Amino acid sequence: MTKLVTYFEQAQPIKEYVNEMTTNKEQLLDIYQSFKLPKNDDRLDKIKDKNYKVLVITEDWCGDAMMNIPVLLNIADYTNIEVKAFHRDEDTNLIDQYLTNGTARSIPIFVFLNEHHEQEHVWGPRAISVQKQVEELRKDLPSKDDPTYAEKEKDVHHKIHETYQNNTQFWDDVYESIVSSIS
């Protein structure tokens, strides 16, 4: 099994990853520029002292990544955390170590590493409050064998995507979820 240090070394610096994005780039950058860290959160200084590195398992088409990565980047900017992106689909051996509910290759996954590239914390793919909202939006979808499923699922994904772009409470929830899990 490939070690996390090897994946981290192979991963792309996050700014390079964002520059090369072909999907959701503008939305990710809008959230990055619009999201503001809360003032006087002492936990950020404690995080800064831990010298984390973050390996982000992602793909640019992912709506959750579009919302979560900019929040992480704001935290990283403040705390001087080095962040690198690893494309989930390039080597599924990595994501298979972080399956959601034991089965889903859900992204993004943020793997927080210590100075020895050992895993300290794992976060993702969603904050609990965001997950609840997604479940609420998806609850009325018909079964996958229903002929209207594809169209209705597309509508739900569009609503989720719009909410991710515009609901600043979600951004705050993501921030709180990440910081609480690593501080």
Side-chain angles (χ1 to χ4, degrees):
M1 182 182 295
T2 307
K3 293 187 175 209
L4 288 172
V5 64
T6 304
Y7 284 114
F8 190 80
E9 289 169 352
Q10 293 172 350
Q12 197 173 20
I14 196 69
K15 303 275 191 225
E16 186 180 303
Y17 167 81
V18 171
N19 286 338
E20 293 178 4
M21 287 177 69
T22 58
T23 307
N24 292 324
K25 180 178 180 177
E26 292 82 19
Q27 296 92 333
L28 183 146
L29 289 171
D30 285 346
I31 294 169
Y32 173 70
Q33 291 162 357
S34 299
F35 176 74
K36 301 295 179 230
L37 293 175
K39 301 227 184 298
N40 304 318
D41 188 341
D42 295 338
R43 297 175 300 173
L44 290 173
D45 293 319
K46 291 177 184 160
I47 291 167
K48 189 184 284 192
D49 293 341
K50 295 185 181 187
N51 296 313
Y52 288 128
K53 296 177 181 338
V54 182
L55 179 60
V56 175
I57 308 168
T58 190
E59 291 289 344
D60 69 354
W61 48 258
C62 175
D64 287 290
M66 173 197 74
M67 178 178 65
N68 296 334
I69 289 174
V71 175
L72 174 68
L73 291 180
N74 275 275
I75 295 167
D77 289 347
Y78 182 86
T79 58
N80 300 314
I81 292 175
E82 182 181 6
V83 180
K84 289 190 167 187
F86 190 89
H87 295 265
R88 179 193 73 176
D89 298 339
E90 281 183 13
D91 179 349
T92 54
N93 290 320
L94 179 59
I95 190 64
D96 286 349
Q97 297 174 50
Y98 300 100
L99 296 175
T100 301
N101 299 324
T103 59
R105 291 178 172 158
S106 302
I107 51 177
I109 298 294
F110 302 160
V111 183
F112 289 83
L113 307 171
N114 64 24
E115 64 274 6
H116 304 292
H117 294 91
E118 298 163 332
Q119 176 182 305
E120 291 284 325
H121 305 282
V122 177
W123 185 91
R126 294 184 180 121
I128 292 170
S129 61
V130 175
Q131 178 64 28
K132 287 179 182 171
Q133 182 68 30
V134 168
E135 288 171 2
E136 182 64 25
L137 288 168
R138 293 184 60 88
K139 75 175 174 32
D140 294 327
L141 280 175
S143 66
K144 289 186 178 183
D145 57 2
D146 185 301
T148 65
Y149 177 80
E151 188 61 36
K152 289 183 177 178
E153 184 186 41
K154 186 178 176 184
D155 290 343
V156 167
H157 280 284
H158 182 72
K159 286 178 190 162
I160 292 169
H161 197 267
E162 275 190 11
T163 304
Y164 284 0
Q165 281 181 255
N166 301 310
N167 187 332
T168 60
Q169 183 60 55
F170 272 13
W171 308 348
D172 293 340
D173 291 350
V174 168
Y175 167 83
E176 184 58 36
S177 179
I178 293 170
V179 170
S180 294
S181 71
I182 65 172
S183 58

